[in-house]
Every structure is written in structure tokens, then in C-alpha cells.
Amino acid sequence: MKFALTAPCLFGIESVLKKEIADLGYEILSVDDGRVVYAGDAAAIPRSNLHLRTAERVLLNVGSFEAKTFEELFEKTKALPWEDFIPKDGKFWVKKASSIKSKLFSPSDIQSVMKKAVVERLKKKHKTDWFPETGASYPIRVFIKKDQVSVGLDTSGEALHKRGYRTNTGIAPLRETLAAGIVLLSGWNKDRLFVDPFCGSGTLPIEAAMIAARMAPGLNREFLSETWTNLLERKAWMQAVDEANDLLDLEVQAQIQGFDKDYRMIRFARENAENADVANLIHFQERPVKELASSRKYGIIVTNPPYGERLEELQEVYGLYKELGKVCAQLDSWSVNVITSVEDFERHFGRQADKKRKLYNGMIKTTLYRYEGPKPPKGGQGYGHA
């Protein structure tokens, strides 16, 4: 059976997610702000949930249509083939409705109208006036943009950025999906030295280690659609897990380092890396940024330094950016990738970025500043400790 699937993502990561989906072998149907639509068979649902590093969740598309009134919304929702997706004992509700630049904008009203429409459709098709809702859960998610309604079932359950390894964090940590996207955007590969001088609770180094080890990010968690036996055979999940385990290489040679001046954060980072099963691939150490130095060439810095909120915090943050700029100036063959919400980062860092990309860390508007060093010669010399 062929399905249309939608993978929502954080704004700015669409191109990375598109490549991830294509690399899994699926046809891209469309790319929009914060979402990629693609075609796949039933196996695409477990494989996407297990392997996609930058998707926030995976939605099974039920249908799409235009609606400018609630009457239109009701009738066109009722016309969708809900019985093909939700069994007689299925538990279903409209989990979330989002609306952008549309005539219908009240989430609660959209949810209420659509739930009634689904009930009416299923009453007729399942020939019942009462639904026990004792079976599997089928949460419905709705996205309306410029009056175009897209309706899907959430196959993931908990958002995909919740990998399960992060038990301790600092203030405003990077979402795991964004961290993976930044690592993939940086151009880093396992043959180059990876350094995060503001590692906090370790998200960037951990995501880098998972990429190096070809570890599927969803390998150690569960997904809602594992219980959808009407749509997915259990063996599809087992085959996807077997595939992920076959790819996994925890013996991979990689040099990934995370530093932070706060020993408590280093302790958190080590615990999180243990939880993610990649502790053997990362060296964490208490070290302030001003002490960062290396004789190695062609390394890559990927980091999420403090942003600062209040004025007194900002002054300290500006000082950190200046220190970072100084140490990076000494690492003239290195590439540097910094994400921050501070708009005049380049002035304090002391250099204009080669590339800039707007990204959202949750609701925080940030910029990824990229400084591209020379490419290492074949054979890889960006290896070893900083």
C-alpha cells in the first residue's frame, strides 16, 4: 500500500530533512516552510520514525482540501476516507490544529468541527452509533495555510526530538532535532575532529556521535503507530529495527569533544552520553573557551554558546564571543559553526560569516553563522585531541 507522509520540522532545516528522506529512498512530493511531504509504502512509517534525525514527527496523510467556512470544513472532513485508517474500536481525537493566513483560525473550533465530522463519517461506514474507543490511539493533526487544509494522523506520538537520552539539561538547550540538523549542515564527517567549546549538557556532541555511529535516533524509544495493526504488520517494525541495528557501528573511530567551564554541565553531558550509548565516542572535559587550542588542522567547531537575556548577561556573553573569536583566529584551517539569537554576533566574534542561515530553536529565532575553512586533503588530518 502506498501512503503520502508529512514530516514537519523546525524552520530552516527543510533542505536537510529533504535529503534525509531521499536517502531513505522515498520520493519527495513537496517542500514547504517547516514540512516535507513524501510518498512511501507501509515500511516508510517505521523507517522514517526510526531514522529521521531532523523531523519533529511523521504524519500519515488522510487528505487535503480548501475550506473557508466551518460548513466547508465539516463536509470536506466528512468526505475523507477515515474508515481506511481508523478501526471501529480506535480512539481518535483532533490533537492539534494550526492555522496560518486563513479564514478559519480558531484552533478549538477547528478541532471541535472536525471531530464531529469524523464521528459522522465513521458512524455511517462502521454502521454504529457508539464507539468504544478501547483500541489503539489515532491522534489527528490539522494544518491550515491560506485556506488549504492538510489532515494527517500522528504516527510518532511523543515528538521525535525526544530521543530519550537527555535526563539532565542546562538553560534553553538545543532541541535534539535542531542539533542534528546543525551537525549535518556543518559538513562534518567522522574523519574530522569535532569540538563544541560550550557543550552544556552535550546535545551537539551526542548527536554528532550518533551520526558517526550510524545510530538511528529512534532506536531506543517507542512510537504510537506500533499499535496500528490494521495498517502496519508488526513485522514491518521488527524489520526496521533489524535494519537500524545492522547499520549501527559503535566501534567507529571518531574524535568528538565537548568542553564547558561548568563542571556540573560536563557531568550532565557524560550521563546523557551514557544514556545514548555513545559515551565511548566523546571526550568531555571542564575547560573555559579561552583555553581552547589545538595543533591539529581541519577540525570543526560546532557550538551553541550562551545567548544572554538581561543586559548584564549580554555583556558577559559579548565577552565570551570575543574570546571565541580569538581562539578561532588561531585555528585558521578550521571551520566554525555558531548558533545564537544575538543579532550582532559577528561584530563581537570579529569576523563576517561566510554563510548565514535563519533557524528556530523552538520559538527562539536564531542564526547559524558558518565560517568555512579549507577542505582537508584526502586521508584526513583533522584527527586527534584539541
Side-chain angles (χ1 to χ4, degrees):
M1 188 184 291
K2 283 287 183 183
F3 294 115
L5 302 165
T6 297
C9 64
L10 294 170
F11 289 118
I13 297 295
E14 296 87 354
S15 63
V16 182
L17 177 56
K18 177 184 174 183
K19 184 178 185 305
E20 281 197 275
I21 293 168
D23 286 348
L24 283 178
Y26 300 120
E27 178 191 358
I28 305 296
L29 300 178
S30 66
V31 180
D32 199 359
D33 290 344
R35 55 210 301 113
V36 179
V37 182
Y38 59 107
D41 56 8
I45 293 174
R47 291 184 75 231
S48 297
N49 275 296
L50 278 164
H51 289 281
L52 294 179
R53 300 182 189 281
T54 58
E56 291 301 310
R57 57 185 70 250
V58 177
L59 306 179
L60 172 56
N61 294 0
V62 176
S64 58
F65 52 83
E66 183 181 66
K68 296 181 180 180
T69 67
F70 282 114
E71 184 179 355
E72 263 191 302
L73 182 67
F74 180 88
E75 292 299 334
K76 290 181 178 180
T77 299
K78 193 171 78 166
L80 295 176
W82 292 101
E83 66 280 3
D84 292 347
F85 300 92
I86 302 174
K88 195 172 182 177
D89 67 346
K91 180 182 179 181
F92 60 94
W93 71 104
V94 183
K95 173 82 172 178
K96 186 175 181 182
S98 303
S99 179
I100 301 171
K101 298 178 181 176
S102 300
K103 290 184 172 58
L104 302 177
F105 57 84
S106 166
S108 58
D109 290 336
I110 293 165
Q111 289 169 289
S112 176
V113 167
M114 293 188 74
K115 168 76 185 214
K116 288 174 185 173
V118 178
V119 168
E120 287 303 308
R121 172 80 183 203
L122 291 179
K123 272 185 181 179
K124 182 179 177 183
K125 294 296 179 177
H126 289 319
K127 296 181 171 55
T128 184
D129 285 327
W130 180 75
F131 297 99
E133 297 198 80
T134 54
S137 295
Y138 296 80
I140 300 164
R141 287 181 175 257
V142 187
F143 178 68
I144 308 178
K145 183 177 181 182
K146 295 180 180 176
D147 302 321
Q148 294 296 316
V149 183
S150 300
V151 187
L153 293 172
D154 181 4
T155 75
S156 304
E158 284 265 39
L160 295 182
H161 73 264
K162 296 183 178 179
R163 317 279 206 228
Y165 65 75
R166 210 161 67 175
T167 52
N168 290 298
T169 64
I171 299 167
L174 274 185
R175 193 175 287 193
E176 295 90 326
T177 44
L178 179 58
I182 292 168
V183 174
L184 292 169
L185 281 168
S186 75
W188 174 77
N189 65 61
K190 63 182 177 60
D191 295 324
R192 297 179 72 175
L193 174 58
F194 178 104
V195 176
D196 180 358
F198 300 98
C199 72
S201 54
T203 308
L204 281 163
I206 290 169
E207 291 294 325
M210 291 170 72
I211 290 167
R214 296 185 302 184
M215 178 185 287
L219 198 52
N220 295 315
R221 53 160 286 172
E222 296 178 342
F223 305 96
L224 185 70
S225 53
E226 289 181 60
T227 58
W228 293 2
T229 52
N230 62 315
L231 294 172
L232 288 167
E233 291 184 30
R234 184 66 195 165
K235 74 175 183 181
W237 285 97
M238 292 189 288
Q239 286 170 347
V241 170
D242 286 344
E243 177 193 19
N245 280 320
D246 287 345
L247 287 170
L248 183 62
D249 180 13
L250 290 176
E251 302 303 315
V252 65
Q253 294 295 309
Q255 290 292 330
I256 302 168
Q257 298 169 22
F259 304 118
D260 202 285
K261 68 174 184 177
D262 186 343
Y263 178 75
R264 189 174 60 106
M265 286 294 105
I266 294 297
R267 182 164 54 84
F268 288 170
R270 286 174 178 151
E271 289 172 4
N272 292 336
E274 288 280 356
N275 294 337
D277 295 326
V278 292
N280 64 309
L281 298 177
I282 311 170
H283 170 71
F284 287 112
Q285 184 180 338
E286 181 185 359
R287 185 193 289 188
V289 66
K290 66 183 178 182
E291 292 180 11
L292 179 63
S294 178
S295 60
R296 292 285 175 173
K297 292 184 176 295
Y298 311 111
I300 293 187
I301 288 174
V302 183
T303 193
N304 173 43
Y307 302 165
E309 296 295 330
R310 297 187 299 273
L311 187 61
E312 60 271 23
E313 290 175 339
L314 274 173
Q315 294 307 314
E316 184 179 346
V317 163
Y318 294 155
L320 286 176
Y321 294 173
K322 189 175 180 180
E323 290 284 359
L324 180 62
K326 284 180 181 176
V327 298
C328 289
Q330 303 301 311
L331 302 169
D332 57 358
S333 67
W334 286 44
S335 297
V336 180
N337 301 262
V338 182
I339 182 171
T340 177
S341 64
V342 176
E343 293 185 0
D344 56 349
F345 166 79
E346 291 163 298
R347 180 165 66 87
H348 299 286
F349 184 76
R351 188 158 41 119
Q352 292 290 308
D354 297 314
K355 293 182 180 177
K356 291 188 276 191
R357 183 183 286 240
K358 295 291 182 190
L359 299 172
Y360 278 81
N361 183 17
M363 297 304 293
I364 304 172
K365 184 179 177 181
T366 63
T367 301
L368 176 63
Y369 296 91
R370 297 185 59 198
Y371 299 85
E372 296 184 328
K375 283 194 166 65
K378 288 189 177 176
Q381 295 180 24
Y383 211 65
H385 283 271

